[in-house]
């Protein structure tokens, strides 16, 4: 059975049915909040608060009140991935703790709720963002317990901290959370075809919530390249390629098999293996 699986995999590689999903990434924005909020504007949900009260303290962003947000001054063009380190030290909110939003006409947001009340789960969801001006519960955006089909959960661990990631590419979005011990949950991909560049908006819903180390990556598909880049060697379920094209430049590269990607049969680029091809 193992030989049959490798043989089937080799056919898929040689016909390049999977390689367009391989990506390279470039860090295009980062902020560790060591000084001020010069990269951001701030705001609040108007029906709940008079003015935002977010500030930098001890090298991280602090929320003293709920439903304030920060938003990048700069817009970013997909495909991109946004990563945010965050923590909740006290309290819990039934609907959500944090929300990360790609702004737009319709918008879309990833939502994280850390352990709530007697539950033992950390939960994420993907859906409509918080409305700045709309009042009442209808303006609070998607909750993690909404039955939209884009929810994932895992057993909570303490302290309540980790990293969320929001990825937007090929007119699709997904959201994930990795806790501080390295366990990860992620939503399925959701269609999102809002054109144009996006600003990034990050919300917290109550006090004792903190954000640090925001990173935004530009994602580039690793092209199949020319006919001279077509040879593939399969060794121990990994791929050594003599040539791939990234942003018009030829590289030698290695891809490591990762069964967690798209249900298996996909490979992840090993960035340390990249070398300029002759």
């Amino acid at each position: 059975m193992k030989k049959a699986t490798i043989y089937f995999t080799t056919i898929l590689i040689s016909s390049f049915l999977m390689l367009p999903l391989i990506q390279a990434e470039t860090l295009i924005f980062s902020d560790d909040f060591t000084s001020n909020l010069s990269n951001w504007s701030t705001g609040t949900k108007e029906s709940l608060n008079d003015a935002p009260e977010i500030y930098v303290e001890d090298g991280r962003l602090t929320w003293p009140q709920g439903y304030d947000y920060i938003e990048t001054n700069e817009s970013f063009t997909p495909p991109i991935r946004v990563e945010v380190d965050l923590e909740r030290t006290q309290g819990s909110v039934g609907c959500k703790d944090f929300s990360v939003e790609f702004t737009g006409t319709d918008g879309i947001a990833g939502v994280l709720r850390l352990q709530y009340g007697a539950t033992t789960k950390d939960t994420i969801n993907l859906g409509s963002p918080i409305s700045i001006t709309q009042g009442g519960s209808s303006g609070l955006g998607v909750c993690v317990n909404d039955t939209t089909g884009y929810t994932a959960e895992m057993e909570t661990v303490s302290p309540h901290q980790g990293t969320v990631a929001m990825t937007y590419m090929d007119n699709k979005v997904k959201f994930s959370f990795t806790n501080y011990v390295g366990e990860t949950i992620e939503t399925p991909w959701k269609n999102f075809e809002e054109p144009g560049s996006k600003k990034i908006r990050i919300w917290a819903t109550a006090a004792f919530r903190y954000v640090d180390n925001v990173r935004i990556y530009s994602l580039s598909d690793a092209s199949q390249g020319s006919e001279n880049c077509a040879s593939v060697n399969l060794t121990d379920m990994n791929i050594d390629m003599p040539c791939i094209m990234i942003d018009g430049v030829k590289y030698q590269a290695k891809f490591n098999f990762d069964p967690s990607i798209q249900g298996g049969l996909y490979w992840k680029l090993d960035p340390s293996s990249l070398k300029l091809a002759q």
Side-chain angles (χ1 to χ4, degrees):
M1 185 66 185
K2 182 177 181 181
K3 290 184 178 179
T5 302
I6 294 176
Y7 176 70
F8 174 66
T9 302
T10 304
I11 292 175
L12 290 178
I13 296 168
S14 61
S15 60
F16 293 104
L17 293 179
M18 293 177 296
L19 293 183
L21 293 180
I22 298 166
Q23 300 163 358
E25 59 186 40
T26 303
L27 182 66
I28 56 175
F29 175 92
S30 65
D31 195 336
D32 61 2
F33 301 107
T34 55
S35 55
N36 54 46
L37 286 171
S38 60
N39 293 320
W40 308 82
S41 61
T42 62
T44 190
K45 182 170 170 52
E46 295 172 2
S47 62
L48 299 180
N49 304 301
D50 293 330
E53 297 182 3
I54 309 169
Y55 59 91
V56 174
E57 182 180 51
D58 298 328
R60 62 181 181 175
L61 202 59
T62 300
W63 265 260
Q65 69 178 1
Y67 291 98
D68 288 350
Y69 66 85
I70 58 170
E71 181 179 294
T72 56
N73 296 327
E74 183 180 355
S75 296
F76 301 91
T77 302
I80 56 175
R81 184 179 72 253
V82 181
E83 296 182 357
V84 185
D85 297 339
L86 41 76
E87 181 178 11
R88 189 199 78 200
T89 58
Q90 296 183 39
S92 60
V93 177
C95 187
K96 59 178 73 71
D97 284 301
F98 295 95
S99 181
V100 179
E101 176 185 346
F102 290 149
T103 63
T105 303
D106 296 321
I108 196 164
V111 176
L112 168 67
R113 183 183 71 179
L114 298 162
Q115 181 184 15
Y116 170 65
T119 65
T120 61
K121 307 288 187 181
D122 293 333
T123 312
I124 58 174
N125 205 350
L126 190 62
S128 59
I130 298 167
S131 171
I132 295 176
T133 57
Q134 187 176 3
S137 59
S138 61
L140 299 183
V142 68
C143 293
V144 293
N145 56 351
D146 286 348
T147 56
T148 60
Y150 299 97
T151 303
E153 64 181 18
M154 65 180 170
E155 292 294 327
T156 190
V157 295
S158 184
H160 299 303
Q161 65 184 73
T163 300
V164 293
M166 187 90 158
T167 304
Y168 179 21
M169 64 177 298
D170 297 331
N171 293 324
K172 291 182 173 62
V173 176
K174 72 175 179 180
F175 187 60
S176 67
F177 171 62
T178 302
N179 63 25
Y180 85 103
V181 296
E183 300 168 331
T184 298
I185 48 177
E186 67 178 15
T187 68
W189 287 98
K190 181 175 183 177
N191 290 333
F192 180 55
E193 300 181 4
E194 185 66 33
S197 298
K198 306 293 176 192
K199 291 186 176 182
I200 311 303
R201 187 178 293 165
I202 302 171
W203 299 78
T205 58
F208 305 108
R209 275 120 181 107
Y210 309 92
V211 160
D212 201 359
N213 299 317
V214 177
R215 300 156 321 264
I216 301 176
Y217 296 89
S218 174
L219 306 177
S220 300
D221 292 340
S223 168
Q224 300 159 3
S226 68
E227 62 275 10
N228 296 326
C229 300
S231 299
V232 175
N233 299 315
L234 183 63
T235 306
D236 298 328
M237 297 303 289
N238 295 324
I239 308 170
D240 291 305
M241 296 192 69
C243 180
I244 62 170
M245 297 286 289
I246 302 176
D247 293 335
V249 180
K250 291 184 179 181
Y251 294 89
Q252 292 177 304
K254 181 176 181 179
F255 298 91
N256 299 322
F257 184 73
D258 187 342
S260 69
I261 301 177
Q262 298 290 321
L265 296 180
Y266 289 90
W267 281 257
K268 186 178 293 183
L269 175 65
D270 177 4
S272 65
S273 73
L274 284 176
K275 297 180 181 178
L276 287 174
Q278 300 297 321

